[in-house]
Amino acid sequence: QTVVTQEPSFSVSPGGTVTLTCGLSSGSVSTSYYPSWYQQTPGQAPRTLIYNTNTRSSGVPDRFSGSILGNKAALTITGAQADDESDYYCVLYMGSGISVFGGGTKLTVL
Amino acid sequence: EVQLLESGGGLVQPGGSLRLSCAASGFTFSNYAMSWVRQAPGKGLEWVSAISSSGGSTYFVDSVKGRFTISRDNSKNTLYLQMNSLRAEDTAVYYCAKAATGVAAIDYWGQGTQVTVSS
Protein backbone atom coordinates (compact mmCIF):
# COMPACT_ATOMS: atom_id res chain seq x y z
CA GLN A 1 0.00 0.00 0.00
CA THR A 2 1.32 3.40 -1.00
CA VAL A 3 2.05 5.78 1.86
CA VAL A 4 2.02 9.55 1.47
CA THR A 5 4.91 11.04 3.41
CA GLN A 6 5.26 14.42 5.10
CA GLU A 7 7.77 15.82 7.57
CA PRO A 8 6.28 15.28 11.06
CA SER A 9 7.38 18.71 12.19
CA PHE A 10 9.10 21.83 10.96
CA SER A 11 9.96 25.21 12.41
CA VAL A 12 10.38 28.60 10.81
CA SER A 13 11.30 32.03 12.11
CA PRO A 14 8.80 34.88 11.77
CA GLY A 15 9.30 36.45 8.35
CA GLY A 16 11.17 33.43 7.10
CA THR A 17 10.45 31.01 4.29
CA VAL A 18 9.66 27.33 4.71
CA THR A 19 8.99 24.55 2.23
CA LEU A 20 6.97 21.53 3.31
CA THR A 21 7.02 18.44 1.12
CA CYS A 22 4.68 15.61 0.21
CA GLY A 23 6.13 12.42 -1.19
CA LEU A 24 5.37 8.79 -1.88
CA SER A 25 6.82 5.76 -0.16
CA SER A 26 7.36 4.38 -3.64
CA GLY A 27 7.65 6.54 -6.71
CA SER A 28 7.57 10.21 -7.58
CA VAL A 29 4.81 12.77 -7.18
CA SER A 30 3.76 14.53 -10.36
CA THR A 31 0.93 16.84 -11.33
CA SER A 32 -1.03 13.70 -12.22
CA TYR A 33 -1.53 13.17 -8.50
CA TYR A 34 -3.29 16.57 -8.26
CA PRO A 35 -1.57 17.40 -4.95
CA SER A 36 -3.51 19.59 -2.57
CA TRP A 37 -2.61 21.28 0.71
CA TYR A 38 -4.74 22.02 3.75
CA GLN A 39 -4.13 24.00 6.93
CA GLN A 40 -5.71 23.04 10.23
CA THR A 41 -5.53 24.60 13.66
CA PRO A 42 -6.61 22.61 16.74
CA GLY A 43 -10.35 22.24 17.08
CA GLN A 44 -11.06 23.77 13.68
CA ALA A 45 -12.07 22.38 10.32
CA PRO A 46 -9.36 22.20 7.68
CA ARG A 47 -8.90 25.11 5.31
CA THR A 48 -7.88 24.60 1.71
CA LEU A 49 -4.72 26.42 0.69
CA ILE A 50 -3.69 24.87 -2.63
CA TYR A 51 -5.25 22.34 -5.00
CA ASN A 52 -4.22 20.85 -8.32
CA THR A 53 -0.55 21.40 -7.49
CA ASN A 54 -0.49 25.19 -7.54
CA THR A 55 -3.99 26.70 -7.62
CA ARG A 56 -4.60 28.88 -4.59
CA SER A 57 -8.01 28.52 -3.01
CA SER A 58 -10.22 31.59 -2.72
CA GLY A 59 -8.93 34.10 -0.20
CA VAL A 60 -5.55 32.45 0.33
CA PRO A 61 -2.71 34.99 0.31
CA ASP A 62 -0.03 34.66 -2.35
CA ARG A 63 2.67 33.94 0.21
CA PHE A 64 1.37 30.38 0.05
CA SER A 65 2.41 28.60 -3.12
CA GLY A 66 2.45 25.05 -4.39
CA SER A 67 4.79 23.29 -6.77
CA ILE A 68 6.54 20.07 -7.68
CA LEU A 69 10.12 20.01 -6.39
CA GLY A 70 12.10 17.04 -7.58
CA ASN A 71 10.01 13.97 -6.86
CA LYS A 72 7.70 15.59 -4.31
CA ALA A 73 4.91 18.11 -4.10
CA ALA A 74 5.82 21.18 -2.12
CA LEU A 75 4.09 23.93 -0.18
CA THR A 76 6.14 27.06 0.29
CA ILE A 77 5.24 29.72 2.81
CA THR A 78 7.10 33.01 2.45
CA GLY A 79 7.09 35.70 5.11
CA ALA A 80 5.88 33.31 7.80
CA GLN A 81 3.54 34.80 10.37
CA ALA A 82 2.64 33.69 13.87
CA ASP A 83 -0.81 32.57 12.79
CA ASP A 84 0.73 30.23 10.23
CA GLU A 85 1.50 27.95 13.16
CA SER A 86 -0.77 25.02 12.29
CA ASP A 87 -0.88 21.48 11.04
CA TYR A 88 -0.49 21.14 7.29
CA TYR A 89 -1.78 18.17 5.34
CA CYS A 90 -1.24 17.16 1.76
CA VAL A 91 -3.42 14.77 -0.20
CA LEU A 92 -2.63 12.90 -3.39
CA TYR A 93 -5.09 11.46 -5.87
CA MET A 94 -4.23 7.82 -6.54
CA GLY A 95 -6.69 7.31 -9.38
CA SER A 96 -9.95 5.36 -9.52
CA GLY A 97 -11.55 7.94 -7.27
CA ILE A 98 -9.22 7.27 -4.34
CA SER A 99 -7.29 9.94 -2.44
CA VAL A 100 -4.76 9.49 0.34
CA PHE A 101 -3.72 12.05 2.94
CA GLY A 102 -0.25 12.41 4.31
CA GLY A 103 0.29 12.22 8.05
CA GLY A 104 0.57 15.98 8.37
CA THR A 105 3.32 18.42 9.32
CA LYS A 106 3.18 20.43 12.53
CA LEU A 107 4.62 23.84 11.75
CA THR A 108 6.00 25.96 14.54
CA VAL A 109 6.73 29.65 14.05
CA LEU A 110 9.36 30.83 16.50
CA GLU B 1 -20.93 31.96 0.03
CA VAL B 2 -20.37 28.21 0.05
CA GLN B 3 -21.76 26.55 3.16
CA LEU B 4 -21.65 22.89 4.14
CA LEU B 5 -23.56 21.88 7.26
CA GLU B 6 -23.16 18.36 8.59
CA SER B 7 -25.62 16.65 10.91
CA GLY B 8 -26.45 13.19 12.18
CA GLY B 9 -23.44 12.44 14.33
CA GLY B 10 -23.70 11.03 17.81
CA LEU B 11 -22.94 8.13 20.12
CA VAL B 12 -23.63 4.64 18.79
CA GLN B 13 -22.79 1.16 20.02
CA PRO B 14 -20.40 -1.07 18.12
CA GLY B 15 -22.27 -2.78 15.31
CA GLY B 16 -24.76 0.03 15.08
CA SER B 17 -25.62 2.43 12.28
CA LEU B 18 -25.73 6.17 11.67
CA ARG B 19 -26.57 8.32 8.69
CA LEU B 20 -24.72 11.58 8.28
CA SER B 21 -26.15 14.39 6.19
CA CYS B 22 -24.50 17.44 4.67
CA ALA B 23 -26.69 20.32 3.53
CA ALA B 24 -24.98 22.39 0.87
CA SER B 25 -25.66 25.95 -0.25
CA GLY B 26 -23.99 28.79 -2.11
CA PHE B 27 -23.07 26.80 -5.22
CA THR B 28 -24.68 24.58 -7.85
CA PHE B 29 -24.54 21.34 -5.90
CA SER B 30 -25.29 19.08 -8.85
CA ASN B 31 -22.18 20.28 -10.70
CA TYR B 32 -19.61 19.08 -8.16
CA ALA B 33 -18.29 15.86 -6.73
CA MET B 34 -18.40 15.62 -2.95
CA SER B 35 -16.36 13.80 -0.33
CA TRP B 36 -16.31 12.72 3.29
CA VAL B 37 -13.09 13.03 5.28
CA ARG B 38 -12.67 11.98 8.90
CA GLN B 39 -10.29 12.70 11.73
CA ALA B 40 -9.93 10.37 14.70
CA PRO B 41 -9.09 11.95 18.08
CA GLY B 42 -5.52 13.25 18.04
CA LYS B 43 -4.90 11.85 14.55
CA GLY B 44 -4.56 13.17 11.04
CA LEU B 45 -7.08 13.51 8.25
CA GLU B 46 -8.30 10.40 6.46
CA TRP B 47 -10.15 10.42 3.15
CA VAL B 48 -13.20 8.17 3.49
CA SER B 49 -15.40 8.38 0.42
CA ALA B 50 -16.31 10.41 -2.64
CA ILE B 51 -19.22 10.60 -5.07
CA SER B 52 -19.42 12.04 -8.55
CA SER B 53 -21.61 15.01 -9.35
CA SER B 54 -24.39 12.83 -10.75
CA GLY B 55 -24.08 10.22 -8.02
CA GLY B 56 -23.34 7.56 -10.58
CA SER B 57 -19.85 6.80 -9.29
CA THR B 58 -18.83 6.20 -5.69
CA TYR B 59 -15.47 5.51 -4.08
CA PHE B 60 -14.37 4.29 -0.63
CA VAL B 61 -11.27 3.74 1.44
CA ASP B 62 -10.69 0.02 1.93
CA SER B 63 -11.45 0.12 5.67
CA VAL B 64 -15.09 1.12 5.11
CA LYS B 65 -15.92 -0.78 1.93
CA GLY B 66 -19.02 -2.87 2.36
CA ARG B 67 -20.01 -0.99 5.52
CA PHE B 68 -20.45 2.63 4.37
CA THR B 69 -22.56 3.96 1.52
CA ILE B 70 -22.31 7.45 0.07
CA SER B 71 -25.22 9.04 -1.78
CA ARG B 72 -26.60 12.43 -2.74
CA ASP B 73 -29.93 14.04 -3.51
CA ASN B 74 -29.26 16.80 -6.00
CA SER B 75 -32.86 18.03 -5.71
CA LYS B 76 -32.27 18.65 -2.00
CA ASN B 77 -28.64 19.78 -2.25
CA THR B 78 -27.75 17.16 0.32
CA LEU B 79 -24.95 14.63 0.67
CA TYR B 80 -25.28 11.51 2.82
CA LEU B 81 -23.04 8.92 4.42
CA GLN B 82 -24.77 5.78 5.64
CA MET B 83 -22.52 4.02 8.14
CA ASN B 84 -23.32 0.43 9.14
CA SER B 85 -21.53 -2.15 11.28
CA LEU B 86 -19.73 0.65 13.07
CA ARG B 87 -16.51 -0.08 14.93
CA ALA B 88 -14.62 1.74 17.65
CA GLU B 89 -12.03 2.75 15.06
CA ASP B 90 -14.70 4.67 13.15
CA THR B 91 -14.83 7.17 16.01
CA ALA B 92 -13.91 10.52 14.48
CA VAL B 93 -15.06 13.93 13.39
CA TYR B 94 -16.55 13.52 9.93
CA TYR B 95 -16.18 16.41 7.49
CA CYS B 96 -18.21 16.98 4.36
CA ALA B 97 -16.18 18.54 1.56
CA LYS B 98 -16.82 20.00 -1.87
CA ALA B 99 -14.58 19.17 -4.79
CA ALA B 100 -12.94 21.98 -6.72
CA THR B 101 -12.55 19.93 -9.89
CA GLY B 102 -13.11 16.26 -10.65
CA VAL B 103 -13.14 14.18 -7.49
CA ALA B 104 -9.57 14.86 -6.46
CA ALA B 105 -9.35 18.35 -5.03
CA ILE B 106 -11.31 19.77 -2.11
CA ASP B 107 -11.90 23.51 -1.94
CA TYR B 108 -14.51 23.87 0.79
CA TRP B 109 -15.08 22.05 4.06
CA GLY B 110 -17.92 21.79 6.55
CA GLN B 111 -17.39 22.22 10.27
CA GLY B 112 -17.68 18.50 10.97
CA THR B 113 -19.88 16.21 13.02
CA GLN B 114 -18.65 13.94 15.80
CA VAL B 115 -19.27 10.21 15.60
CA THR B 116 -18.44 8.15 18.67
CA VAL B 117 -18.66 4.37 18.61
CA SER B 118 -18.62 2.98 22.11
CA SER B 119 -20.52 0.65 24.38
Side-chain angles (χ1 to χ4, degrees):
Chain A
Q1 182 171 338
T2 301
V3 175
V4 177
T5 62
Q6 294 185 249
E7 299 87 357
S9 62
F10 228 114
S11 63
V12 61
S13 300
T17 296
V18 62
T19 297
L20 311 181
T21 68
C22 177
L24 288 168
S25 56
S26 176
S28 299
V29 177
S30 67
T31 57
S32 299
Y33 285 86
Y34 301 97
S36 300
W37 293 90
Y38 308 98
Q39 178 191 49
Q40 189 182 36
T41 54
Q44 299 297 314
R47 169 198 182 198
T48 299
L49 297 174
I50 301 286
Y51 60 88
N52 292 350
T53 306
N54 55 15
T55 300
R56 263 186 300 276
S57 190
S58 176
V60 174
D62 60 7
R63 57 195 189 80
F64 292 91
S65 62
S67 63
I68 300 292
L69 287 181
N71 62 349
K72 296 183 179 181
L75 173 71
T76 299
I77 307 172
T78 58
Q81 301 177 359
D83 61 3
D84 293 336
E85 189 162 292
S86 302
D87 295 324
Y88 291 84
Y89 294 92
C90 72
V91 67
L92 300 179
Y93 179 66
M94 300 301 180
S96 301
I98 306 299
S99 294
V100 178
F101 279 88
T105 297
K106 184 177 183 62
L107 180 67
T108 302
V109 180
L110 52 73
Chain B
E1 178 191 6
V2 172
Q3 292 194 352
L4 301 169
L5 184 61
E6 302 96 335
S7 60
L11 174 64
V12 62
Q13 292 188 340
S17 298
L18 275 179
R19 187 176 83 154
L20 306 183
S21 299
C22 172
S25 61
F27 64 101
T28 304
F29 183 71
S30 59
N31 286 354
Y32 294 93
M34 299 291 293
S35 296
W36 289 97
V37 175
R38 67 184 178 184
Q39 187 169 35
K43 303 296 185 182
L45 300 173
E46 180 183 32
W47 178 85
V48 175
S49 182
I51 186 168
S52 63
S53 57
S54 68
S57 297
T58 59
Y59 315 95
F60 300 92
V61 67
D62 283 348
S63 60
V64 309
K65 279 182 183 175
R67 300 189 299 123
F68 289 13
T69 303
I70 188 172
S71 61
R72 62 191 296 160
D73 186 336
N74 285 345
S75 69
K76 295 183 178 179
N77 292 345
T78 303
L79 174 72
Y80 303 100
L81 185 68
Q82 177 68 44
M83 305 186 294
N84 299 330
S85 303
L86 283 161
R87 307 167 180 167
E89 55 264 36
D90 296 317
T91 294
V93 175
Y94 284 72
Y95 295 102
C96 164
K98 170 188 169 293
T101 59
V103 293
I106 291 169
D107 58 357
Y108 289 95
W109 300 73
Q111 285 303 302
T113 187
Q114 175 71 49
V115 172
T116 302
V117 184
S118 174
S119 55

